[in-house]
Amino acid sequence: QNVIEYQMCVHIFGAVSSPSIANFIVRRIASNASSAVRETLFHNFYMDGCLKSVKSDDEAMQLISQMQVDFSKSGFHLTKYFSNSRNVMESIPVSDRSSDLQRDVMDMEYIPTTRTLGVIWDANTDKFGFAVNVRNHPATRRGILAVTASLYDPLGMIGPVVLEAKKILQDACRDKSLNWDDPLSTKQTREWQTWLKAIPQLDSVQIDRRFKHDSFEAEQELHVFADASSFAYGAVVYLKSKGSELTSVSFVIGKSRLAPMKTISVPRLELTAAALAVKLAQLVKKELKRDLRVYFYTDSTIVLHSIRNESKRFPVFVANRISLIRDYSSPDQWQHVPSELNPADDATRGLTPEQLLTSKWLRGPSFLKSGAAEWSEPGLMMNEMSFLTCATDVIATVDPISKLMNRYSEWS
């Protein structure tokens, strides 16, 4: 039989080329759109979903109307709208709303919870959260990997909790005789089952979507903390909004990572955590589109001295990370913080879900909400740290006879 060739009349969903085509189409539409729509499409559109926050209902309705017009010119129709404003939802035809809002919004007691780009969003309280639904998997390396990978957490809110599961998996990987589908040891199985029983409590974890309150014009700062332990390192970013009467501290993003299986000294891991902190700060500044004042904190005086160093030559591992840190921060931005006040410490030791709910990880350290004079404790500022230089003179005394004999005689 002759070969019959078929050609798709539309772009199919799920093809390898689909993401590239979708992004091309959005950018092509943006090139001919109004300024407000263009800015939204370039910075708030992700594949086929748009996530945008505006100041008022009127601004939201105007943006929706403009986007519908610009997309319709290219033959596209936007649907599945969802908002925490009832007025905005009432302005949208029922057929174009999210499937959760296919009726009169004004008659609903609560706006249902939805997912925004994979993250749970409670529109009533305007908070991000989690809905844990873990399938049953055997206590093997493959089973642990499947469960940890199913916990989607792009902001790192539950990073310290997931760290404990990753540590169990890493310990299992150290056993070269253990294959992917072999049962774990009795101790590791017990630790894994204990972790599994606790994670349903993650349903109670929530953080505010907004970084500041509408009631005050705020001066904003980024405060970034870094820390490391013998088996993990991490960093966390908070946005501090200061008004005339009110100060708020918001969790922005955090990372908790296991140390490599090859042993690395804690000072080097501390330096790696500091480099990670700088990367997170750059990411946040880029996404917020603001040139914010940034403060960095670490509880390692070795890292602080290394960053301040101007003369000593370091090994390649250390030099590369110090170079990165110095490229995107100055030594004056780095401060020392005691370990007990460092929220990044949670990212290096792991937390249970119950501990996470009351930890500094999501709320930030209490001293950030105080004035600068109160939380900058004496002796903790980098430029206030004292450096002591010791010098000694070494005088070697040599017997003249031995010197002559060693110079003119051969003993062999």
Side-chain angles (χ1 to χ4, degrees):
Q1 295 183 358
N2 295 329
V3 176
I4 303 174
E5 294 184 4
Y6 292 93
Q7 182 177 353
M8 295 291 180
C9 297
V10 296
H11 289 294
I12 61 174
F13 182 83
V16 175
S17 59
S18 294
S20 177
I21 293 171
N23 284 314
F24 172 80
I25 292 171
V26 170
R27 290 181 177 273
R28 181 64 179 269
I29 295 173
S31 64
N32 299 318
S34 60
S35 59
V37 174
R38 186 184 305 115
E39 193 274 337
T40 299
L41 297 186
F42 275 123
H43 300 289
N44 300 97
F45 224 93
Y46 308 89
M47 286 296 296
D48 58 346
C50 179
L51 186 61
K52 178 75 173 181
S53 176
V54 295
K55 295 181 179 180
S56 65
D57 292 351
D58 291 338
E59 186 178 348
M61 289 185 281
Q62 183 179 3
L63 179 62
I64 290 171
S65 177
Q66 290 175 344
M67 289 180 64
Q68 288 174 331
V69 171
D70 290 329
F71 270 82
S72 64
K73 292 177 182 178
S74 300
F76 294 96
H77 182 65
L78 297 178
T79 60
K80 297 184 179 179
Y81 288 97
F82 192 100
S83 172
N84 61 345
S85 169
R86 296 175 187 266
N87 293 329
V88 172
M89 293 310 303
E90 281 295 317
S91 69
I92 300 172
V94 175
S95 59
D96 291 344
R97 299 178 191 171
S98 170
S99 58
D100 298 325
L101 298 174
Q102 295 285 333
R103 59 191 180 95
D104 191 348
V105 180
M106 294 300 183
D107 295 337
M108 299 174 63
E109 184 178 359
Y110 296 105
I111 299 177
T113 299
T114 188
R115 286 185 179 271
T116 55
L117 301 178
V119 179
I120 296 294
W121 177 39
D122 186 344
N124 296 287
T125 60
D126 202 13
K127 293 177 181 289
F128 289 134
F130 283 89
V132 178
N133 184 18
V134 177
R135 297 179 181 178
N136 290 326
H137 290 277
T140 61
R141 288 168 58 186
R142 193 185 306 277
I144 297 176
L145 181 60
V147 172
T148 54
S150 68
L151 296 173
Y152 183 64
D153 179 30
L155 298 178
M157 291 187 289
I158 60 172
V161 176
V162 180
L163 178 71
E164 293 198 344
K166 291 180 178 179
K167 181 66 168 62
I168 297 173
L169 176 60
Q170 188 183 67
D171 290 340
C173 291
R174 294 183 190 278
D175 187 353
K176 301 300 183 181
S177 64
L178 199 64
N179 294 321
W180 278 99
D181 296 310
D182 292 341
L184 302 178
S185 66
T186 304
K187 178 184 177 182
Q188 291 170 342
T189 301
R190 191 185 312 115
E191 293 174 350
W192 174 241
Q193 294 298 333
T194 301
W195 185 85
L196 278 179
K197 290 178 182 177
I199 60 171
Q201 298 180 52
L202 291 177
D203 289 347
S204 302
V205 175
Q206 288 188 327
I207 64 169
D208 292 326
R209 181 191 61 83
R210 295 186 300 173
F211 288 143
K212 70 173 184 177
H213 301 281
D214 294 333
S215 59
F216 62 95
E217 290 295 328
E219 176 190 347
Q220 294 183 312
E221 303 168 344
L222 283 183
H223 295 262
V224 191
F225 295 81
D227 196 17
S229 65
S230 59
F231 68 88
Y233 65 95
V236 59
V237 183
Y238 301 97
L239 183 69
K240 179 178 180 180
S241 302
K242 299 189 298 183
S244 57
E245 298 180 357
L246 185 63
T247 298
S248 66
V249 176
S250 304
F251 175 92
V252 180
I253 189 172
K255 294 292 182 183
S256 180
R257 294 177 177 172
L258 283 175
M261 293 183 66
K262 181 181 178 180
T263 303
I264 298 179
S265 66
V266 173
R268 287 196 169 192
L269 288 176
E270 294 271 12
L271 188 61
T272 303
L276 175 62
V278 170
K279 292 178 182 178
L280 288 181
Q282 289 300 114
L283 173 65
V284 172
K285 289 171 66 177
K286 176 184 176 182
E287 292 299 321
L288 294 182
K289 306 179 191 67
R290 296 190 61 184
D291 187 18
L292 298 168
R293 202 173 185 182
V294 185
Y295 298 90
F296 295 96
Y297 303 84
T298 177
D299 55 16
S300 171
T301 54
I302 295 177
V303 169
L304 294 176
H305 282 266
S306 299
I307 295 173
R308 191 179 178 89
N309 173 74
E310 297 287 351
S311 57
K312 182 179 178 181
R313 296 184 62 182
F314 293 105
V316 175
F317 181 97
V318 177
N320 287 343
R321 283 154 182 79
I322 291 179
S323 175
L324 173 67
I325 294 169
R326 293 291 293 264
D327 283 345
Y328 297 104
S329 68
S330 66
D332 293 338
Q333 290 177 272
W334 286 87
Q335 305 177 25
H336 181 274
V337 62
S339 296
E340 61 272 15
L341 298 179
N342 190 354
D345 184 68
D346 296 336
T348 68
R349 306 187 185 281
L351 297 172
T352 65
E354 184 178 3
Q355 292 171 335
L356 180 68
L357 293 173
T358 58
S359 69
K360 300 185 292 292
W361 179 254
L362 294 178
R363 301 194 311 268
S366 58
F367 67 78
L368 283 184
K369 293 186 178 181
S370 306
E374 297 176 32
W375 57 259
S376 297
E377 298 183 17
L380 298 187
M381 297 290 289
M382 182 62 193
N383 54 13
E384 294 177 357
M385 294 180 64
S386 59
F387 293 85
L388 179 62
T389 302
C390 297
T392 58
D393 293 328
V394 178
I395 301 175
T397 303
V398 181
D399 181 15
I401 302 297
S402 298
K403 182 178 179 180
L404 288 172
M405 294 184 67
N406 286 328
R407 183 173 182 178
Y408 295 108
S409 300
E410 294 183 0
W411 299 94
S412 57

